[in-house]
């Protein structure tokens, strides 16, 4: 086995076009690093929840130029099979962009990238492969938020798009998201969304068929660089998510967490007429090492500390606290929101993604926009994922709005028929599916700011609106048990244990149904996950509860999503209901950890 492993490593080494990763792999071979080589050659990176994503390094299970070139070649082959090239005399003039995906000429692939290590290199390699395969390639003009790429696919009429990013993963990681345009493999009216089965498997098969990197044509030129007009068009579209004449007086502290969101978000705020946000100086510039945070994810402990410190300093200078703290993750497709909370040690409280998701839905309903902004007058559906709060379903039902649930990930939410608004608990919100059919942290921030400004004009706050939603629909309290591991077998063992011995009760609440999501259903495709519904009762103070357990599709984590719903009869009952919800959620976490052996 060791001889075979070394032979595979040497074969990969001979085909690697990157001197840095060649040297890295050479050093591992010479050092006899068997365990490390085994990990790197355990297979080939596969498309997960958000595309390819892994640690940078040499080998087929790492992100590197060889893996990216193979992925790009497989995608190019897939696109050419889906949309055969026309005759040479039907191709558009050099230097022009097609007006739409159904135009004559080779298909257009638009490529975006963030500011992570090697992102620009991977983007250029992708452009070269596309041109070498007879497609047209357009690189976005600079590192930009992922939503700009998702917008550009439809705006330029591209047949596909690629975004090089690892989103909120650690600094050592990078990734590769693939989007399909309108008309490719049945994506009409859903173009600009990420790939799902069977396209992901078909592209993977094309990648596996690539004979070798050196066999992939990669010219030194021939792709185009998009102008700033693409960014301008995105900003113009972003401003359209707001209601004309709505209040704009809101004070915001903002952090891009060393990512690429600052220029785009501040430009969007200026165009919309909001006061300029106070930007967290220490995190304002893109930095692939993310030096001020352990993980560049607003949900991670400590990630928002500098933003809260800036907010406190701003309050001291101005004599009043800002209304909001807003954060984007490094590629700015997610949006985190915090509100003043004098009772908290930091003086601020992070809102959960489920809370922001409900607030935005309520805002769209209240302002009469629940049935607008989609492809047609029939685009009215509110959608979320099975791991997100069920509160959205109650808001939709009360408003008479269609509702849908999907598997985790915006690649599924974006494909809901007639979607008007979608969110997932991991801070992702799609408020304009006709413009960006993916989560978008810039337009979400605009809509949150509009909501906060409107409430401020009425002498109200986001927290008070959350209280109103709890009174109207019941208190929906959510939490998460998330376990990061170094050894992925720990996750597999926990899932196997839960399947073999499913819990019969959690926190004293009986489990009324246990569903193995890997079996699939009429409503959902198969996925590696488990779902438990729990019954409440008068004695428990709980109406219903729900638990979903699944391996993360983007990080080495086991994630458990918890929700308890409590009826609330009057405003003065809210504090006790929240205390009871916290108590039940903590008990569920303890019992679930024991049941899973984690």
């Amino acid at each position: 086995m060791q001889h075979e492993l070394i032979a595979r490593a040497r074969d990969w080494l001979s085909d690697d076009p990157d001197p840095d990763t060649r040297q890295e792999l050479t050093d591992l071979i010479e050092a006899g690093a068997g365990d490390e080589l085994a990990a790197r050659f355990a297979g080939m990176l596969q498309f997960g929840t958000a595309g390819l994503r892994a640690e940078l390094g040499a080998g087929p299970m790492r992100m590197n130029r060889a893996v990216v070139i193979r992925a790009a070649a497989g995608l190019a082959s897939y696109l050419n099979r889906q949309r055969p090239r026309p005759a040479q005399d039907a191709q558009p003039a050099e230097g022009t962009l097609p007006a739409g995906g159904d135009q004559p000429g080779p298909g257009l692939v638009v490529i975006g990238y963030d500011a992570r290590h090697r992102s620009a290199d991977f983007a250029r390699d992708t452009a070269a492969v596309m041109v070498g395969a007879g497609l047209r390639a357009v690189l976005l003009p600079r590192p930009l938020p992922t939503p700009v790429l998702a917008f550009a696919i439809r705006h330029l009429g591209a047949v596909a798009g690629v975004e090089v990013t690892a989103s909120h993963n650690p600094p050592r990681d990078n990734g590769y998201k693939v989007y399909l345009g309108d008309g490719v493999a049945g994506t009409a009216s859903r173009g600009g969304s990420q790939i799902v089965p069977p396209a992901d498997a078909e592209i993977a098969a094309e990648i596996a068929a690539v004979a070798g990197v050196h066999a992939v044509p990669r010219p030194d030129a021939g792709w185009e660089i998009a102008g700033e007009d693409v960014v301008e068009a995105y900003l113009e579209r972003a401003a359209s998510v707001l209601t004309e004449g709505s209040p704009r007086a809101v004070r915001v502290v903002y952090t891009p967490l060393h990512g690429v969101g600052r220029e785009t978000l501040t430009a969007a705020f200026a165009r919309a007429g909001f006061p300029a946000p106070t930007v967290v100086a220490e995190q304002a510039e893109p930095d692939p090492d993310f030096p001020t945070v352990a993980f560049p994810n607003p949900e991670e402990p400590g990630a928002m500390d500098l933003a809260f410190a800036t907010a406190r300093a701003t309050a001291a200078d101005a004599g009043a606290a800002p209304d909001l703290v807003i954060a984007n993750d490094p590629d700015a497709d997610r949006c985190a929101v915090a509100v003043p909370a004098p009772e908290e040690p930091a003086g601020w409280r992070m809102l959960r993604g489920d809370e922001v998701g409900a607030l935005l839905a309520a805002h769209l309903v209240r302002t009469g926009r629940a049935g607008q902004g989609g492809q047609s007058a029939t685009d009215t559906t509110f959608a979320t994922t099975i791991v997100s709060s069920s509160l959205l379903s109650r808001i939709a039902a009360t408003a008479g709005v269609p509702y849908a649930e999907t598997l985790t990930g915006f690649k599924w939410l974006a494909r809901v028929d007639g979607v008007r608004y979608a969110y997932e608990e991991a801070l992702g919100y799609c408020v304009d599916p006709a413009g960006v059919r993916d989560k978008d942290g810039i337009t979400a921030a605009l809509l949150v700011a509009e909501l906060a400004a409107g409430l401020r004009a009425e002498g109200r706050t986001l927290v008070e609106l959350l209280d109103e939603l709890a009174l109207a629909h019941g208190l929906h309290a959510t939490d998460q048990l998330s376990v990061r591991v170094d050894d992925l077998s720990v996750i597999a063992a926990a899932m196997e244990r839960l399947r073999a011995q499913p819990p019969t009760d959690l926190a004293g609440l009986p489990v009324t149904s246990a569903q193995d999501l890997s079996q699939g259903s009429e409503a959902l495709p198969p996925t590696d996950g488990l779902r438990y519904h729990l019954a409440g009762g008068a004695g428990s103070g709980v109406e219903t509860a729900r638990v979903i357990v699944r391996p993360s599709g983007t990080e080495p984590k086991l994630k458990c999503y918890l929700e308890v719903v409590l009826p609330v009869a009057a405003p003065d009952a809210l504090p006790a209901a929240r205390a009871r919800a916290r108590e039940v959620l903590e008990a569920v976490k303890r019992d679930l950890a024991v049941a899973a052996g984690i």
Side-chain angles (χ1 to χ4, degrees), residues 142 145 147-148 231-242 248 254 260-277 328 332 440-447 449-450:
R142 51 191 165 85
V148 178
V231 183
E232 284 296 307
Y234 169 80
L235 292 171
E236 190 68 25
R237 179 75 198 195
S240 73
V241 306
L242 305 176
R248 298 289 195 272
Y254 169 69
V260 297
R262 178 179 60 86
E263 288 186 2
T264 307
L265 183 134
T266 54
F269 267 56
R271 182 160 305 202
F274 288 112
N328 288 136
D440 183 347
I442 306 297
T443 52
L446 289 174
L447 208 60
E450 180 188 53

Side-chain angles (χ1 to χ4, degrees), residues 241 243 357-372 380-383 391-402 420-421 431 447 450-451 465 469 473:
V241 306
T243 298
L359 287 169
L360 292 178
H363 183 49
L364 292 172
V365 169
R366 182 186 181 214
T367 55
R369 287 178 282 174
Q372 301 170 4
T380 59
T381 300
F382 283 3
L391 176 55
L392 184 64
S393 67
R394 299 198 182 187
I395 293 172
T398 300
V401 171
R420 167 60 186 95
Y421 165 69
V431 302
L447 208 60
E450 180 188 53
L451 170 57
L465 180 53
L469 292 174
H473 305 291

Side-chain angles (χ1 to χ4, degrees), residues 280-562:
V280 178
E282 300 92 332
Q283 298 172 334
E285 296 301 321
D287 188 330
D289 293 319
F290 307 106
T292 68
V293 294
F295 291 94
N297 180 352
E299 295 179 294
E300 293 283 348
M304 296 292 288
D305 286 354
L306 282 173
F308 295 157
T310 300
R312 291 193 296 271
T314 301
D317 291 342
D323 300 294
L324 297 171
V325 170
I326 291 177
N328 288 136
D329 66 339
D331 69 327
D333 63 350
R334 301 176 190 236
C335 177
V337 179
V339 294
E343 70 282 3
E344 297 288 336
W348 288 82
R349 176 171 80 86
M350 279 281 290
L351 297 182
R352 292 187 172 277
D354 285 318
E355 292 177 309
V356 177
L359 287 169
L360 292 178
H363 183 49
L364 292 172
V365 169
R366 182 186 181 214
T367 55
R369 287 178 282 174
Q372 301 170 4
Q375 258 69 45
S376 69
T378 62
D379 288 343
T380 59
T381 300
F382 283 3
T384 191
T385 65
I386 58 173
V387 302
S388 304
S389 172
S390 60
L391 176 55
L392 184 64
S393 67
R394 299 198 182 187
I395 293 172
T398 300
V401 171
Y403 170 77
E405 283 184 3
T406 73
L407 295 182
T408 306
F410 259 87
K411 65 183 184 181
W412 298 107
L413 286 170
R415 283 175 163 74
V416 170
D417 288 335
V419 66
R420 167 60 186 95
Y421 165 69
Y423 94 91
E424 62 179 355
E425 56 78 37
L427 309 182
Y429 317 94
C430 175
V431 302
D432 178 25
V436 175
R437 211 166 181 92
D438 198 7
K439 56 184 177 290
D440 183 347
I442 306 297
T443 52
L446 289 174
L447 208 60
V448 167
E450 180 188 53
L451 170 57
L455 292 172
R456 182 185 182 198
E458 299 169 4
R460 301 163 64 216
T461 66
L462 295 179
V463 171
E464 288 171 334
L465 180 53
L466 284 171
D467 288 348
E468 293 172 17
L469 292 174
L471 289 167
H473 305 291
L475 175 64
H476 290 61
T478 59
D479 204 350
Q480 191 177 128
L481 173 63
S482 182
V483 181
R484 186 180 291 273
V485 301
D486 294 322
D487 181 359
L488 291 177
S489 68
V490 173
I491 295 176
M495 296 297 291
E496 183 178 347
R497 179 170 176 167
L498 288 171
R499 285 190 168 101
Q501 296 180 307
T504 57
D505 67 87
L506 296 167
L509 303 175
V511 175
T512 57
S513 71
Q515 182 183 6
D516 187 345
L517 299 174
S518 68
Q519 304 302 308
S521 69
E522 228 176 83
L524 298 170
T527 188
D528 187 9
L530 300 165
R531 176 163 57 183
Y532 306 112
H533 285 102
L534 291 74
S540 68
V542 174
E543 181 181 326
T544 61
R546 185 213 65 204
V547 174
I548 293 179
V549 184
R550 61 178 283 272
S552 170
T554 57
E555 299 177 89
K557 285 182 176 181
L558 181 68
K559 304 185 85 169
C560 310
Y561 306 84
L562 323 174

Side-chain angles (χ1 to χ4, degrees), residues 135-311:
L135 295 157
R136 304 187 70 215
V138 172
L139 279 171
L140 292 187
R142 51 191 165 85
L144 285 163
T146 293
V148 178
L149 179 277
F151 168 82
I153 294 166
R154 308 187 84 177
H155 178 67
L156 297 178
V159 297
V162 170
E163 177 71 15
V164 181
T165 180
S167 188
H168 59 281
N169 275 39
R172 63 179 181 270
D173 291 0
N174 213 325
Y176 200 81
K177 291 183 180 180
V178 175
Y179 299 74
L180 294 180
D182 281 328
V184 179
T187 57
S189 299
R190 300 174 184 179
S193 52
Q194 295 179 51
I195 57 171
V196 296
D200 55 357
E202 292 170 0
I203 294 170
E206 297 287 356
I207 294 171
V210 176
V213 171
H214 288 305
V216 177
R218 288 182 290 126
D220 293 330
W223 57 87
E224 302 164 58
I225 307 295
E228 288 294 324
D229 57 306
V230 173
V231 183
E232 284 296 307
Y234 169 80
L235 292 171
E236 190 68 25
R237 179 75 198 195
S240 73
V241 306
L242 305 176
T243 298
E244 187 174 350
S246 62
R248 298 289 195 272
V250 62
R251 299 166 304 211
V252 174
V253 167
Y254 169 69
T255 176
L257 286 181
H258 300 293
V260 297
R262 178 179 60 86
E263 288 186 2
T264 307
L265 183 134
T266 54
F269 267 56
R271 182 160 305 202
F274 288 112
T278 300
V279 179
V280 178
E282 300 92 332
Q283 298 172 334
E285 296 301 321
D287 188 330
D289 293 319
F290 307 106
T292 68
V293 294
F295 291 94
N297 180 352
E299 295 179 294
E300 293 283 348
M304 296 292 288
D305 286 354
L306 282 173
F308 295 157
T310 300

